[in-house]
Amino acid sequence: MNKIPPTLDLDALRSFVTGMECGSFAQAAIRLCRSTSAVSAQLKKLEQQCGADLVMKKGRGLALTRDGEIVMSYARRMLALNDEMQCALKGEQLQEEIRIGMQEDFGESLMPGILGEFKRHHPDVRIIARVDRNRALLTAFDDDALDMVLLWQNAQEKRQGQLIGQRQMAWIQPPDMDIGALLARGEPLPLVMFDSPCLMRARAIDCLNQAGIPWRVVFVSHSLSGIWAAVQAGLGVTLRTRIGMPGNLRAAESVLPAPGSLGITLEQKSGSTAQTKLEQLMEEALHRAM
């Protein structure tokens, strides 16, 4: 007969998860309305049940060990099921909530259709969406303020996100701008860009510098709609993908150096069936767009 594994203490699991979310078990004790010693005792109990160290010190904070990462991946789901069952027993209506963040390119063009389709499959799930720049989304995700983030891949950062697509970048210009003639006159290429840090701004400047093409930033925007408006007004050229590109703009041909492609990544915490469905719809929409 196979030996029955020990049953983990859910209260200990909750203390463990809360401690890592808060960054300290002293803060977790405040949130859980318990003493710090009681929360520490529960962590020790959980480690004994798992037969492994789950947490280690990292500088002034805490970090998960390899075994701790495994336990954390299951702990949130176990606690969610426990809470769901308690609500069901009390006769309360359950309403799942998914907090999703997305880069502006996706938020303005792809996500309205994705969320509309998702709502038809899961009408009772509440969606909280945030459209922002890459850095702000990653900070919110790391602070547990978002469950999923869809953004451009930064090859310089080692993240755990799933690469779900590649998108070719393009120099996008006003239809009446003659870039070849402008460069022939020795004029710098006028650029319409986000402020730094910006992946596409960095890529544009790097490409132009390598090709020996002079440039100058003539317009800086804090929003994608501002970028498109400035290009439509004839102020300059921008580097984006064709996702959400207004119909009255066009991609420059072979006058400028090829900027390559940019990956699209999805980072998410362990989620429900509804969250898996949302991920599937995003992948399908991106593949259609590409």
Side-chain angles (χ1 to χ4, degrees), residues 77-270:
R77 283 181 282 167
M78 293 171 68
L79 291 171
L81 283 172
N82 173 81
D83 297 345
E84 182 179 326
M85 182 190 71
Q86 293 288 356
C87 289
L89 289 172
K90 295 175 182 176
E92 297 178 7
Q93 183 178 0
L94 299 175
Q95 184 176 43
E96 184 181 344
E97 179 180 280
I98 300 177
R99 303 163 301 168
I100 181 172
M102 63 207 77
Q103 217 278 345
E104 283 186 278
D105 300 77
F106 315 125
E108 294 185 3
S109 57
L110 299 180
M111 290 310 295
I114 293 171
L115 296 180
E117 178 69 16
F118 175 81
K119 203 64 180 175
R120 286 190 285 274
H121 290 275
H122 298 279
D124 296 328
V125 176
R126 181 185 180 203
I127 295 289
I128 298 177
R130 172 178 172 179
V131 177
D132 213 326
R133 302 275 298 278
N134 262 36
R135 175 48 51 199
L137 293 175
L138 286 173
T139 299
F141 181 78
D142 291 340
D143 290 342
D144 288 322
L146 292 172
D147 303 308
M148 309 173 71
V149 285
L150 183 68
L151 33 72
W152 297 114
Q153 181 187 42
N154 185 350
Q156 305 303 316
E157 291 188 2
K158 300 301 180 183
R159 305 280 307 188
Q160 299 301 313
Q162 174 190 358
L163 182 66
I164 61 175
Q166 291 276 347
R167 189 68 175 171
Q168 187 67 37
M169 289 189 289
W171 299 99
I172 298 174
Q173 66 169 83
D176 56 351
M177 178 178 283
D178 189 340
I179 295 177
L182 184 148
L183 297 179
R185 294 194 298 269
E187 296 182 26
L189 183 71
L191 296 179
V192 175
M193 293 286 157
F194 278 121
D195 55 344
S196 296
C198 170
L199 293 174
M200 295 188 187
R201 176 179 176 138
R203 180 74 67 89
I205 292 172
D206 185 55
C207 283
L208 294 174
N209 285 342
Q210 289 188 23
I213 297 175
W215 56 270
R216 63 189 177 98
V217 177
V218 298
F219 186 89
V220 175
S221 176
H222 296 288
S223 68
L224 183 58
S225 58
I227 293 283
W228 294 134
V231 178
Q232 288 173 310
L235 298 186
V237 176
T238 192
L239 181 66
R240 308 296 305 170
T241 70
R242 288 181 175 83
I243 294 177
M245 183 181 78
N248 60 341
L249 299 180
R250 66 184 177 89
E253 301 302 330
S254 57
V255 183
L256 297 174
S261 61
L262 201 57
I264 301 170
T265 62
L266 175 68
E267 292 200 33
Q268 61 179 321
K269 298 176 173 66
S270 299

Side-chain angles (χ1 to χ4, degrees), residues 12 16 25 38-48 54-55:
F16 167 62
F25 289 98
V39 171
S40 298
Q42 286 190 319
L43 173 62
K44 185 175 181 180
K45 177 181 180 180
L46 182 62
E47 289 182 325
Q48 289 174 343
L54 305 180
V55 177

